[in-house]
Short mmCIF file of all heavy atoms in Angstrom, two decimals:
data_model
loop_
_atom_site.label_atom_id
_atom_site.label_comp_id
_atom_site.label_asym_id
_atom_site.label_seq_id
_atom_site.Cartn_x
_atom_site.Cartn_y
_atom_site.Cartn_z
N MET A 335 -102.68 66.91 12.97
CA MET A 335 -101.71 66.08 13.67
C MET A 335 -101.38 64.88 12.77
O MET A 335 -102.12 63.91 12.75
CB MET A 335 -102.29 65.64 15.01
CG MET A 335 -101.55 64.58 15.71
SD MET A 335 -102.17 64.16 17.35
CE MET A 335 -103.91 64.09 17.16
N PRO A 336 -100.32 64.96 12.00
CA PRO A 336 -99.95 63.85 11.11
C PRO A 336 -99.45 62.63 11.89
O PRO A 336 -98.89 62.75 12.97
CB PRO A 336 -98.82 64.43 10.26
CG PRO A 336 -98.77 65.88 10.55
CD PRO A 336 -99.48 66.11 11.83
N ILE A 337 -99.70 61.46 11.31
CA ILE A 337 -99.20 60.23 11.90
C ILE A 337 -98.41 59.45 10.86
O ILE A 337 -98.54 59.71 9.66
CB ILE A 337 -100.34 59.35 12.45
CG1 ILE A 337 -101.35 59.03 11.36
CG2 ILE A 337 -101.02 60.01 13.62
CD1 ILE A 337 -102.37 57.99 11.79
N SER A 338 -97.60 58.53 11.31
CA SER A 338 -96.78 57.72 10.42
C SER A 338 -96.80 56.28 10.88
O SER A 338 -96.67 56.00 12.08
CB SER A 338 -95.35 58.26 10.40
OG SER A 338 -94.51 57.36 9.71
N TYR A 339 -96.94 55.37 9.94
CA TYR A 339 -96.90 53.94 10.22
C TYR A 339 -95.59 53.32 9.74
O TYR A 339 -95.51 52.10 9.58
CB TYR A 339 -98.09 53.23 9.57
CG TYR A 339 -99.42 53.69 10.10
CD1 TYR A 339 -100.22 54.57 9.37
CD2 TYR A 339 -99.89 53.28 11.34
CE1 TYR A 339 -101.44 55.01 9.85
CE2 TYR A 339 -101.11 53.72 11.84
CZ TYR A 339 -101.88 54.57 11.09
OH TYR A 339 -103.09 55.01 11.58
N ASP A 340 -94.56 54.13 9.54
CA ASP A 340 -93.28 53.62 9.06
C ASP A 340 -92.72 52.54 9.97
O ASP A 340 -92.13 51.56 9.49
CB ASP A 340 -92.26 54.76 8.92
CG ASP A 340 -92.57 55.68 7.75
OD1 ASP A 340 -93.41 55.32 6.90
OD2 ASP A 340 -91.97 56.76 7.69
N LYS A 341 -92.91 52.69 11.26
CA LYS A 341 -92.43 51.68 12.20
C LYS A 341 -93.10 50.33 11.94
O LYS A 341 -92.47 49.28 12.07
CB LYS A 341 -92.68 52.10 13.65
CG LYS A 341 -91.78 53.19 14.17
CD LYS A 341 -92.13 53.45 15.63
CE LYS A 341 -91.24 54.46 16.28
NZ LYS A 341 -91.61 54.67 17.70
N LEU A 342 -94.38 50.36 11.60
CA LEU A 342 -95.10 49.12 11.31
C LEU A 342 -94.51 48.42 10.10
O LEU A 342 -94.26 47.21 10.12
CB LEU A 342 -96.58 49.39 11.09
CG LEU A 342 -97.42 48.21 10.58
CD1 LEU A 342 -97.37 47.04 11.57
CD2 LEU A 342 -98.84 48.63 10.29
N TRP A 343 -94.27 49.17 9.04
CA TRP A 343 -93.74 48.55 7.81
C TRP A 343 -92.35 47.97 8.06
O TRP A 343 -92.03 46.90 7.54
CB TRP A 343 -93.72 49.56 6.67
CG TRP A 343 -95.02 50.30 6.50
CD1 TRP A 343 -95.19 51.64 6.32
CD2 TRP A 343 -96.36 49.76 6.49
NE1 TRP A 343 -96.52 51.96 6.22
CE2 TRP A 343 -97.26 50.83 6.32
CE3 TRP A 343 -96.89 48.48 6.63
CZ2 TRP A 343 -98.65 50.65 6.27
CZ3 TRP A 343 -98.27 48.30 6.59
CH2 TRP A 343 -99.13 49.37 6.40
N LYS A 344 -91.53 48.65 8.86
CA LYS A 344 -90.21 48.12 9.21
C LYS A 344 -90.32 46.86 10.06
O LYS A 344 -89.56 45.90 9.89
CB LYS A 344 -89.38 49.18 9.92
CG LYS A 344 -88.98 50.31 9.00
CD LYS A 344 -88.27 51.43 9.73
CE LYS A 344 -88.00 52.58 8.79
NZ LYS A 344 -87.52 53.77 9.46
N LEU A 345 -91.29 46.85 10.98
CA LEU A 345 -91.50 45.69 11.83
C LEU A 345 -91.94 44.48 10.99
O LEU A 345 -91.49 43.36 11.22
CB LEU A 345 -92.55 45.99 12.90
CG LEU A 345 -92.84 44.91 13.93
CD1 LEU A 345 -91.57 44.55 14.72
CD2 LEU A 345 -93.93 45.36 14.88
N LEU A 346 -92.78 44.71 9.99
CA LEU A 346 -93.20 43.62 9.11
C LEU A 346 -92.00 43.04 8.36
O LEU A 346 -91.89 41.82 8.21
CB LEU A 346 -94.25 44.10 8.11
CG LEU A 346 -95.64 44.39 8.67
CD1 LEU A 346 -96.57 44.84 7.54
CD2 LEU A 346 -96.22 43.20 9.39
N ILE A 347 -91.11 43.90 7.91
CA ILE A 347 -89.90 43.43 7.23
C ILE A 347 -89.07 42.57 8.18
O ILE A 347 -88.60 41.49 7.81
CB ILE A 347 -89.08 44.61 6.68
CG1 ILE A 347 -89.83 45.27 5.52
CG2 ILE A 347 -87.68 44.15 6.24
CD1 ILE A 347 -89.27 46.60 5.09
N ASP A 348 -88.89 43.05 9.41
CA ASP A 348 -88.11 42.30 10.40
C ASP A 348 -88.73 40.94 10.69
O ASP A 348 -88.01 39.97 10.93
CB ASP A 348 -88.00 43.08 11.71
CG ASP A 348 -87.15 44.33 11.58
OD1 ASP A 348 -86.39 44.44 10.59
OD2 ASP A 348 -87.23 45.20 12.48
N LYS A 349 -90.06 40.86 10.66
CA LYS A 349 -90.75 39.60 10.94
C LYS A 349 -90.98 38.78 9.67
O LYS A 349 -91.67 37.76 9.71
CB LYS A 349 -92.08 39.88 11.65
CG LYS A 349 -91.91 40.42 13.06
CD LYS A 349 -93.25 40.58 13.75
CE LYS A 349 -93.10 41.05 15.16
NZ LYS A 349 -92.85 39.97 16.09
N LYS A 350 -90.44 39.27 8.55
CA LYS A 350 -90.58 38.60 7.26
C LYS A 350 -92.07 38.37 6.91
O LYS A 350 -92.46 37.28 6.49
CB LYS A 350 -89.80 37.30 7.23
CG LYS A 350 -88.30 37.49 7.34
CD LYS A 350 -87.58 36.17 7.31
CE LYS A 350 -86.08 36.27 7.28
NZ LYS A 350 -85.41 37.24 8.03
N MET A 351 -92.84 39.42 7.09
CA MET A 351 -94.28 39.38 6.77
C MET A 351 -94.58 40.43 5.72
O MET A 351 -93.88 41.43 5.62
CB MET A 351 -95.13 39.69 8.02
CG MET A 351 -95.05 38.68 9.13
SD MET A 351 -96.01 39.19 10.59
CE MET A 351 -97.68 38.94 10.00
N ASN A 352 -95.64 40.18 4.95
CA ASN A 352 -96.12 41.22 4.04
C ASN A 352 -97.47 41.71 4.54
O ASN A 352 -97.98 41.24 5.56
CB ASN A 352 -96.18 40.72 2.59
CG ASN A 352 -97.11 39.54 2.41
OD1 ASN A 352 -98.15 39.45 3.05
ND2 ASN A 352 -96.74 38.63 1.53
N ARG A 353 -98.06 42.63 3.83
CA ARG A 353 -99.32 43.24 4.30
C ARG A 353 -100.47 42.23 4.32
O ARG A 353 -101.33 42.29 5.20
CB ARG A 353 -99.67 44.45 3.44
CG ARG A 353 -98.69 45.58 3.63
CD ARG A 353 -99.02 46.77 2.77
NE ARG A 353 -97.96 47.77 2.86
CZ ARG A 353 -98.14 49.05 2.69
NH1 ARG A 353 -99.32 49.52 2.38
NH2 ARG A 353 -97.13 49.88 2.80
N THR A 354 -100.47 41.31 3.38
CA THR A 354 -101.51 40.28 3.37
C THR A 354 -101.38 39.37 4.59
O THR A 354 -102.38 38.99 5.20
CB THR A 354 -101.45 39.45 2.07
OG1 THR A 354 -101.56 40.34 0.95
CG2 THR A 354 -102.56 38.42 2.01
N ASP A 355 -100.14 39.02 4.94
CA ASP A 355 -99.91 38.22 6.15
C ASP A 355 -100.45 38.96 7.38
O ASP A 355 -101.08 38.35 8.25
CB ASP A 355 -98.42 37.94 6.36
CG ASP A 355 -97.82 37.08 5.26
OD1 ASP A 355 -98.55 36.29 4.64
OD2 ASP A 355 -96.59 37.20 5.04
N LEU A 356 -100.21 40.26 7.45
CA LEU A 356 -100.69 41.06 8.56
C LEU A 356 -102.21 41.07 8.60
O LEU A 356 -102.82 40.89 9.65
CB LEU A 356 -100.16 42.49 8.48
CG LEU A 356 -100.67 43.46 9.55
CD1 LEU A 356 -100.25 43.00 10.94
CD2 LEU A 356 -100.18 44.86 9.27
N LYS A 357 -102.83 41.25 7.45
CA LYS A 357 -104.30 41.26 7.37
C LYS A 357 -104.86 39.94 7.88
O LYS A 357 -105.79 39.92 8.69
CB LYS A 357 -104.75 41.50 5.93
CG LYS A 357 -106.26 41.55 5.75
CD LYS A 357 -106.66 41.54 4.31
CE LYS A 357 -106.94 40.19 3.76
NZ LYS A 357 -107.88 39.34 4.42
N ASP A 358 -104.29 38.83 7.44
CA ASP A 358 -104.78 37.51 7.84
C ASP A 358 -104.54 37.26 9.33
O ASP A 358 -105.41 36.71 10.02
CB ASP A 358 -104.11 36.42 7.01
CG ASP A 358 -104.50 36.48 5.54
OD1 ASP A 358 -105.54 37.10 5.21
OD2 ASP A 358 -103.76 35.92 4.71
N ALA A 359 -103.38 37.64 9.84
CA ALA A 359 -103.04 37.38 11.25
C ALA A 359 -103.86 38.23 12.21
O ALA A 359 -104.21 37.78 13.30
CB ALA A 359 -101.55 37.62 11.47
N SER A 360 -104.17 39.46 11.80
CA SER A 360 -104.83 40.39 12.72
C SER A 360 -106.34 40.48 12.51
O SER A 360 -107.06 40.93 13.40
CB SER A 360 -104.22 41.79 12.58
OG SER A 360 -104.44 42.29 11.29
N GLY A 361 -106.81 40.10 11.35
CA GLY A 361 -108.25 40.19 11.08
C GLY A 361 -108.71 41.58 10.66
O GLY A 361 -109.90 41.86 10.68
N ILE A 362 -107.77 42.43 10.25
CA ILE A 362 -108.16 43.75 9.75
C ILE A 362 -108.49 43.65 8.26
O ILE A 362 -108.18 42.65 7.61
CB ILE A 362 -107.05 44.81 9.99
CG1 ILE A 362 -105.76 44.43 9.27
CG2 ILE A 362 -106.82 45.00 11.48
CD1 ILE A 362 -104.69 45.49 9.30
N SER A 363 -109.11 44.68 7.72
CA SER A 363 -109.51 44.65 6.31
C SER A 363 -108.46 45.30 5.41
O SER A 363 -107.55 46.00 5.88
CB SER A 363 -110.84 45.40 6.14
OG SER A 363 -110.64 46.79 6.36
N PHE A 364 -108.61 45.06 4.11
CA PHE A 364 -107.73 45.71 3.14
C PHE A 364 -107.92 47.22 3.18
O PHE A 364 -106.98 47.98 2.93
CB PHE A 364 -107.99 45.20 1.72
CG PHE A 364 -107.29 43.90 1.41
CD1 PHE A 364 -108.01 42.78 1.10
CD2 PHE A 364 -105.90 43.81 1.44
CE1 PHE A 364 -107.38 41.58 0.80
CE2 PHE A 364 -105.26 42.63 1.15
CZ PHE A 364 -106.00 41.50 0.84
N ASN A 365 -109.14 47.68 3.50
CA ASN A 365 -109.39 49.12 3.59
C ASN A 365 -108.54 49.76 4.69
O ASN A 365 -108.02 50.87 4.52
CB ASN A 365 -110.86 49.41 3.85
CG ASN A 365 -111.73 49.09 2.66
OD1 ASN A 365 -111.25 49.01 1.53
ND2 ASN A 365 -113.01 48.89 2.89
N VAL A 366 -108.41 49.06 5.82
CA VAL A 366 -107.58 49.58 6.91
C VAL A 366 -106.14 49.65 6.46
O VAL A 366 -105.44 50.64 6.68
CB VAL A 366 -107.73 48.71 8.18
CG1 VAL A 366 -106.71 49.08 9.23
CG2 VAL A 366 -109.14 48.82 8.73
N LEU A 367 -105.67 48.61 5.78
CA LEU A 367 -104.29 48.61 5.27
C LEU A 367 -104.07 49.75 4.28
O LEU A 367 -103.02 50.39 4.28
CB LEU A 367 -103.96 47.28 4.61
CG LEU A 367 -103.61 46.14 5.54
CD1 LEU A 367 -103.45 44.84 4.77
CD2 LEU A 367 -102.36 46.43 6.33
N ALA A 368 -105.06 49.99 3.43
CA ALA A 368 -104.94 51.07 2.45
C ALA A 368 -104.84 52.43 3.15
O ALA A 368 -104.01 53.26 2.77
CB ALA A 368 -106.14 51.05 1.50
N LYS A 369 -105.66 52.64 4.18
CA LYS A 369 -105.59 53.89 4.94
C LYS A 369 -104.22 54.04 5.60
O LYS A 369 -103.64 55.13 5.61
CB LYS A 369 -106.68 53.94 6.00
CG LYS A 369 -108.05 54.25 5.48
CD LYS A 369 -109.02 54.37 6.62
CE LYS A 369 -110.34 54.93 6.16
NZ LYS A 369 -111.21 55.25 7.28
N MET A 370 -103.72 52.96 6.17
CA MET A 370 -102.42 53.01 6.83
C MET A 370 -101.31 53.28 5.82
O MET A 370 -100.35 53.97 6.13
CB MET A 370 -102.17 51.71 7.59
CG MET A 370 -103.13 51.53 8.76
SD MET A 370 -102.95 49.96 9.57
CE MET A 370 -101.60 50.38 10.66
N GLY A 371 -101.46 52.75 4.62
CA GLY A 371 -100.47 53.01 3.57
C GLY A 371 -100.40 54.48 3.19
O GLY A 371 -99.38 54.95 2.69
N LYS A 372 -101.50 55.21 3.43
CA LYS A 372 -101.54 56.65 3.15
C LYS A 372 -101.38 57.49 4.41
O LYS A 372 -101.63 58.69 4.40
CB LYS A 372 -102.87 57.00 2.47
CG LYS A 372 -103.04 56.36 1.11
CD LYS A 372 -104.32 56.81 0.46
CE LYS A 372 -105.39 55.76 0.67
NZ LYS A 372 -106.66 56.09 0.04
N ASN A 373 -100.95 56.83 5.51
CA ASN A 373 -100.78 57.50 6.81
C ASN A 373 -102.04 58.23 7.27
O ASN A 373 -101.98 59.34 7.79
CB ASN A 373 -99.57 58.45 6.79
CG ASN A 373 -98.27 57.70 6.79
OD1 ASN A 373 -98.15 56.63 7.38
ND2 ASN A 373 -97.28 58.25 6.13
N GLU A 374 -103.18 57.57 7.07
CA GLU A 374 -104.46 58.12 7.54
C GLU A 374 -104.82 57.46 8.87
O GLU A 374 -104.31 56.40 9.21
CB GLU A 374 -105.56 57.85 6.51
CG GLU A 374 -105.34 58.59 5.20
CD GLU A 374 -106.43 58.29 4.19
OE1 GLU A 374 -107.36 57.51 4.49
OE2 GLU A 374 -106.33 58.83 3.08
N PHE A 375 -105.73 58.10 9.59
CA PHE A 375 -106.16 57.57 10.88
C PHE A 375 -106.98 56.29 10.69
O PHE A 375 -107.76 56.20 9.75
CB PHE A 375 -107.00 58.60 11.64
CG PHE A 375 -106.20 59.76 12.14
CD1 PHE A 375 -106.25 60.98 11.49
CD2 PHE A 375 -105.39 59.64 13.26
CE1 PHE A 375 -105.51 62.07 11.95
CE2 PHE A 375 -104.65 60.70 13.72
CZ PHE A 375 -104.70 61.92 13.06
N VAL A 376 -106.78 55.33 11.59
CA VAL A 376 -107.59 54.12 11.65
C VAL A 376 -108.06 53.95 13.09
O VAL A 376 -107.56 54.62 14.00
CB VAL A 376 -106.82 52.87 11.17
CG1 VAL A 376 -106.42 53.00 9.72
CG2 VAL A 376 -105.59 52.60 12.03
N SER A 377 -108.98 53.06 13.31
CA SER A 377 -109.56 52.90 14.65
C SER A 377 -108.56 52.28 15.63
O SER A 377 -107.65 51.55 15.23
CB SER A 377 -110.81 52.03 14.59
OG SER A 377 -110.46 50.68 14.33
N MET A 378 -108.78 52.58 16.89
CA MET A 378 -107.97 51.96 17.94
C MET A 378 -108.19 50.45 17.94
O MET A 378 -107.28 49.69 18.26
CB MET A 378 -108.32 52.54 19.31
CG MET A 378 -107.75 53.91 19.55
SD MET A 378 -105.94 53.95 19.51
CE MET A 378 -105.56 52.93 20.93
N GLU A 379 -109.37 50.01 17.58
CA GLU A 379 -109.65 48.57 17.52
C GLU A 379 -108.72 47.89 16.51
O GLU A 379 -108.15 46.83 16.79
CB GLU A 379 -111.10 48.33 17.14
CG GLU A 379 -111.47 46.86 17.07
CD GLU A 379 -112.92 46.64 16.66
OE1 GLU A 379 -113.63 47.61 16.37
OE2 GLU A 379 -113.31 45.46 16.65
N SER A 380 -108.55 48.52 15.35
CA SER A 380 -107.65 47.96 14.33
C SER A 380 -106.21 47.95 14.82
O SER A 380 -105.49 46.97 14.64
CB SER A 380 -107.76 48.77 13.04
OG SER A 380 -109.05 48.66 12.50
N LEU A 381 -105.79 49.04 15.43
CA LEU A 381 -104.42 49.11 15.95
C LEU A 381 -104.20 48.06 17.04
O LEU A 381 -103.14 47.43 17.10
CB LEU A 381 -104.12 50.51 16.48
CG LEU A 381 -104.11 51.63 15.44
CD1 LEU A 381 -103.94 52.98 16.13
CD2 LEU A 381 -103.03 51.40 14.41
N SER A 382 -105.20 47.86 17.87
CA SER A 382 -105.11 46.86 18.93
C SER A 382 -104.97 45.46 18.34
O SER A 382 -104.16 44.64 18.81
CB SER A 382 -106.34 46.94 19.82
OG SER A 382 -106.31 45.94 20.79
N LYS A 383 -105.74 45.16 17.31
CA LYS A 383 -105.65 43.85 16.66
C LYS A 383 -104.25 43.61 16.08
O LYS A 383 -103.71 42.51 16.17
CB LYS A 383 -106.70 43.74 15.55
CG LYS A 383 -108.11 43.60 16.04
CD LYS A 383 -109.06 43.53 14.85
CE LYS A 383 -110.50 43.40 15.29
NZ LYS A 383 -111.41 43.31 14.14
N ILE A 384 -103.68 44.65 15.49
CA ILE A 384 -102.34 44.54 14.93
C ILE A 384 -101.32 44.29 16.03
O ILE A 384 -100.44 43.43 15.90
CB ILE A 384 -101.99 45.81 14.12
CG1 ILE A 384 -102.86 45.87 12.86
CG2 ILE A 384 -100.51 45.84 13.76
CD1 ILE A 384 -102.82 47.19 12.13
N CYS A 385 -101.45 45.03 17.13
CA CYS A 385 -100.52 44.85 18.25
C CYS A 385 -100.59 43.44 18.83
O CYS A 385 -99.55 42.85 19.14
CB CYS A 385 -100.80 45.88 19.34
SG CYS A 385 -100.31 47.55 18.90
N VAL A 386 -101.78 42.90 18.94
CA VAL A 386 -101.93 41.53 19.45
C VAL A 386 -101.29 40.54 18.47
O VAL A 386 -100.55 39.64 18.88
CB VAL A 386 -103.43 41.19 19.69
CG1 VAL A 386 -103.62 39.71 19.94
CG2 VAL A 386 -103.97 42.01 20.84
N ALA A 387 -101.55 40.72 17.18
CA ALA A 387 -101.02 39.80 16.17
C ALA A 387 -99.49 39.84 16.11
O ALA A 387 -98.84 38.81 15.90
CB ALA A 387 -101.61 40.12 14.80
N LEU A 388 -98.91 41.03 16.29
CA LEU A 388 -97.45 41.18 16.20
C LEU A 388 -96.77 41.12 17.55
O LEU A 388 -95.54 41.23 17.62
CB LEU A 388 -97.11 42.50 15.50
CG LEU A 388 -97.59 42.64 14.06
CD1 LEU A 388 -97.22 44.01 13.52
CD2 LEU A 388 -97.01 41.54 13.18
N ASP A 389 -97.54 40.99 18.63
CA ASP A 389 -97.00 40.94 19.99
C ASP A 389 -96.12 42.17 20.25
O ASP A 389 -94.93 42.06 20.56
CB ASP A 389 -96.22 39.65 20.23
CG ASP A 389 -95.84 39.47 21.70
OD1 ASP A 389 -96.59 39.96 22.57
OD2 ASP A 389 -94.80 38.85 21.97
N CYS A 390 -96.73 43.35 20.08
CA CYS A 390 -96.01 44.60 20.27
C CYS A 390 -96.93 45.63 20.93
O CYS A 390 -98.09 45.36 21.18
CB CYS A 390 -95.47 45.12 18.94
SG CYS A 390 -96.77 45.60 17.77
N ASN A 391 -96.39 46.81 21.17
CA ASN A 391 -97.16 47.93 21.72
C ASN A 391 -97.46 48.93 20.62
O ASN A 391 -96.78 48.96 19.59
CB ASN A 391 -96.38 48.62 22.84
CG ASN A 391 -96.24 47.74 24.05
OD1 ASN A 391 -97.19 47.13 24.50
ND2 ASN A 391 -95.02 47.66 24.56
N ILE A 392 -98.43 49.78 20.85
CA ILE A 392 -98.85 50.74 19.83
C ILE A 392 -97.70 51.67 19.43
O ILE A 392 -97.57 52.04 18.27
CB ILE A 392 -100.10 51.52 20.28
CG1 ILE A 392 -100.72 52.23 19.09
CG2 ILE A 392 -99.78 52.48 21.39
CD1 ILE A 392 -102.12 52.70 19.31
N GLY A 393 -96.83 52.00 20.37
CA GLY A 393 -95.68 52.85 20.06
C GLY A 393 -94.67 52.18 19.15
O GLY A 393 -93.82 52.85 18.57
N ASP A 394 -94.79 50.86 19.00
CA ASP A 394 -93.90 50.13 18.10
C ASP A 394 -94.36 50.20 16.65
O ASP A 394 -93.62 49.82 15.74
CB ASP A 394 -93.82 48.65 18.51
CG ASP A 394 -93.23 48.45 19.89
OD1 ASP A 394 -92.38 49.26 20.30
OD2 ASP A 394 -93.64 47.48 20.57
N ILE A 395 -95.60 50.68 16.42
CA ILE A 395 -96.13 50.69 15.06
C ILE A 395 -96.59 52.06 14.57
O ILE A 395 -96.76 52.25 13.37
CB ILE A 395 -97.28 49.67 14.89
CG1 ILE A 395 -98.47 49.99 15.78
CG2 ILE A 395 -96.79 48.25 15.13
CD1 ILE A 395 -99.70 49.14 15.53
N VAL A 396 -96.80 53.01 15.48
CA VAL A 396 -97.34 54.32 15.10
C VAL A 396 -96.50 55.44 15.70
O VAL A 396 -96.10 55.35 16.86
CB VAL A 396 -98.80 54.50 15.60
CG1 VAL A 396 -99.34 55.86 15.23
CG2 VAL A 396 -99.69 53.41 15.06
N ASP A 397 -96.25 56.46 14.92
CA ASP A 397 -95.61 57.69 15.40
C ASP A 397 -96.56 58.84 15.16
O ASP A 397 -97.15 58.96 14.08
CB ASP A 397 -94.31 57.99 14.64
CG ASP A 397 -93.09 57.38 15.26
OD1 ASP A 397 -93.08 57.19 16.49
OD2 ASP A 397 -92.14 57.10 14.53
N VAL A 398 -96.71 59.70 16.16
CA VAL A 398 -97.47 60.94 15.99
C VAL A 398 -96.45 62.02 15.71
O VAL A 398 -95.53 62.25 16.50
CB VAL A 398 -98.29 61.27 17.26
CG1 VAL A 398 -99.02 62.59 17.07
CG2 VAL A 398 -99.27 60.15 17.56
N MET A 399 -96.61 62.65 14.58
CA MET A 399 -95.65 63.65 14.13
C MET A 399 -96.11 65.05 14.59
O MET A 399 -97.31 65.31 14.61
CB MET A 399 -95.54 63.64 12.60
CG MET A 399 -95.36 62.23 12.01
SD MET A 399 -93.93 61.36 12.61
CE MET A 399 -92.70 62.13 11.64
N PRO A 400 -95.17 65.91 14.92
CA PRO A 400 -95.56 67.27 15.31
C PRO A 400 -96.13 68.04 14.11
O PRO A 400 -95.73 67.80 12.97
CB PRO A 400 -94.26 67.91 15.79
CG PRO A 400 -93.18 67.06 15.21
CD PRO A 400 -93.74 65.70 14.98
N ASP A 401 -97.09 68.90 14.41
CA ASP A 401 -97.67 69.75 13.35
C ASP A 401 -96.59 70.69 12.82
O ASP A 401 -95.76 71.19 13.55
CB ASP A 401 -98.84 70.58 13.89
CG ASP A 401 -100.09 69.75 14.05
OD1 ASP A 401 -100.29 68.82 13.25
OD2 ASP A 401 -100.87 70.04 14.98
N LYS A 402 -96.66 70.95 11.51
CA LYS A 402 -95.72 71.89 10.90
C LYS A 402 -96.39 73.25 10.86
O LYS A 402 -97.22 73.54 10.01
CB LYS A 402 -95.36 71.43 9.48
CG LYS A 402 -94.61 70.13 9.46
CD LYS A 402 -94.31 69.70 8.04
CE LYS A 402 -93.60 68.36 8.03
NZ LYS A 402 -93.39 67.86 6.70
N ASP A 403 -96.04 74.08 11.81
CA ASP A 403 -96.62 75.43 11.88
C ASP A 403 -95.63 76.49 11.51
O ASP A 403 -94.51 76.49 11.75
CB ASP A 403 -97.16 75.71 13.29
CG ASP A 403 -98.45 74.94 13.54
OD1 ASP A 403 -99.40 75.13 12.79
OD2 ASP A 403 -98.46 74.14 14.49
#
């Protein structure tokens, strides 16, 4: 089940933030950002921290993509 964080990167652009700003505002690690940059799974705790920092919902930052069968 592939996932995409493209919505998150677009939201950061809209808010004039970069990844370091997001890390500092949310308290997540660079490792989490690196995983997200590769569209890998991260913990719900990390996603929750990002949502609180950006004042958004999880659907605003993550898309679950259908499997290619």
Side-chain angles (χ1 to χ4, degrees):
M335 168 175 44
I337 57 171
S338 171
Y339 297 103
D340 289 347
K341 286 182 176 180
L342 172 60
W343 311 134
K344 291 175 185 171
L345 184 60
L346 288 181
I347 291 168
D348 292 344
K349 291 184 177 276
K350 295 180 174 39
M351 294 177 73
N352 61 36
R353 293 179 187 207
T354 303
D355 295 333
L356 176 63
K357 181 190 93 53
D358 294 340
S360 64
I362 61 172
S363 69
F364 278 118
N365 290 340
V366 171
L367 281 174
K369 283 184 169 189
M370 294 175 84
K372 296 184 261 182
N373 288 327
E374 294 179 1
F375 290 103
V376 297
S377 71
M378 284 299 295
E379 180 181 4
S380 296
L381 295 174
S382 177
K383 288 179 180 181
I384 292 168
C385 288
V386 169
L388 297 178
D389 189 29
C390 66
N391 292 313
I392 195 164
D394 298 328
I395 62 172
V396 179
D397 270 331
V398 178
M399 312 301 282
D401 283 328
K402 295 179 182 175
D403 286 301

